[in-house]
Amino acid sequence: MARTSAQKPAKEPGRMKQMWQVFQMTRRMDPLAVWVMLLWFLLPILAGVLLAVFATPGDVLAGFLWVTTGVLGGILAAMIILGRRAERVAYRQISGQPGAVGAVLKSSLRRAWQASEMPITVSPKTQDAVYRAVGKPGVMIIGEGPQSRTRRMMEDERRNVNRIVPNVPVHFVHVGPDAESTKLENLAKTLNKHKKVLSKAEVFAVSNRLTSLSKSSTLPIPKGIDPLKARAPKPR
């Protein structure tokens, strides 16, 4: 009698193993991260020891609690630093690839922002793209590619935005190989540094209006599809 052996699905690595893999990747790409993590791990411990010695001298229990709090604070600080440095390394690895800006908009922006990981305009020849994000500073038009090639697409989108929401500020952000362009890892920080002029309710209202009334000059790209592999449908 034939026997069929069902293959068990590969077991996903545990949380500790995932963290170790992230640490190893970050250490290889950013050797300074280890020393920064160590510094932020030791500072809270040192603060806990000093508080135990000078704030509660002679109290063993209080001293133990201060030191324990310092150790826990050091672990937390080191994990925060690891997360930030790992994110920076990941963005450096995908920098220059089509869709990199969309990855940042999806993962790094706060909830106050309304943005899509899919571009609103893509050049079929160069794969340069333009993204749009709406936040409290207004409407951010983000060009992915050299400024000489994305500027015209961004100006077209500015006119589209001004036609739909004429009283909302519009800002340009370039992400590309130009020296004056914003680095991919600094994109979220660049968007958030602009002066806030809209309320949270106004952000949602502007985003919904743009989404409903905007007409993209390109065909929509399904989520998860590489823009390099996107193809227009065959004519009927």
Side-chain angles (χ1 to χ4, degrees):
M1 185 175 67
R3 296 182 179 179
T4 58
S5 58
Q7 296 182 354
K8 295 182 179 179
K11 186 178 180 181
E12 295 183 359
R15 181 63 59 85
M16 295 302 298
K17 188 174 182 179
Q18 290 179 353
M19 293 179 62
W20 177 251
Q21 292 173 347
V22 170
F23 172 75
Q24 290 292 342
M25 178 197 71
T26 306
R27 182 179 61 85
R28 288 194 301 268
M29 303 297 296
D30 183 10
L32 186 62
V34 178
W35 299 105
V36 177
M37 289 175 59
L38 181 61
L39 175 64
W40 282 95
F41 173 70
L42 294 177
L43 283 177
I45 296 178
L46 177 61
V49 172
L50 293 177
L51 287 171
V53 173
F54 295 104
T56 56
D59 192 335
V60 178
L61 179 59
F64 174 78
L65 292 177
W66 278 121
V67 174
T68 302
T69 302
V71 172
L72 295 177
I75 294 175
L76 177 60
M79 291 299 99
I80 293 175
I81 295 299
L82 174 61
R84 291 180 178 178
R85 306 288 288 213
E87 183 181 60
R88 186 180 303 176
V89 167
Y91 288 155
R92 287 177 183 174
Q93 290 179 332
I94 66 173
S95 179
Q97 299 181 17
V101 169
V104 176
L105 296 180
K106 179 183 177 182
S107 60
S108 296
L109 288 185
R110 301 172 183 173
R111 294 181 180 180
W113 287 90
Q114 297 294 307
S116 172
E117 62 180 307
M118 304 309 302
I120 56 176
T121 306
V122 178
S123 172
K125 293 183 178 180
T126 63
Q127 302 304 321
D128 297 328
V130 172
Y131 297 79
R132 185 179 63 219
V134 182
K136 292 184 177 180
V139 179
M140 314 297 295
I141 299 177
I142 308 156
E144 183 181 65
Q147 293 188 26
S148 59
R149 299 202 304 246
T150 58
R151 188 77 186 188
R152 182 174 180 179
M153 293 191 297
M154 296 172 71
E155 290 290 352
D156 291 341
E157 179 58 22
R158 186 212 292 269
R159 287 191 288 270
N160 179 53
V161 171
N162 288 336
R163 175 179 58 84
I164 299 174
V165 283
N167 297 324
V168 178
V170 179
H171 307 278
F172 278 5
V173 177
H174 294 273
V175 178
D178 305 284
E180 64 274 15
S181 294
T182 301
K183 293 183 178 179
L184 184 65
E185 60 196 72
N186 297 330
L187 176 57
K189 184 188 300 184
T190 301
L191 297 181
N192 286 312
K193 75 178 183 180
H194 288 79
K195 182 180 178 180
K196 297 176 175 57
V197 296
L198 300 179
S199 65
K200 188 175 182 180
E202 289 172 334
V203 169
F204 282 99
V206 171
S207 177
N208 292 336
R209 184 170 178 82
L210 287 173
T211 302
S212 60
L213 297 181
S214 293
K215 294 182 179 180
S216 176
S217 60
T218 58
L219 294 172
I221 303 174
K223 182 178 180 181
I225 300 298
D226 190 336
L228 287 172
K229 301 179 181 178
R231 296 179 180 177
K234 296 180 179 180
R236 297 181 179 178

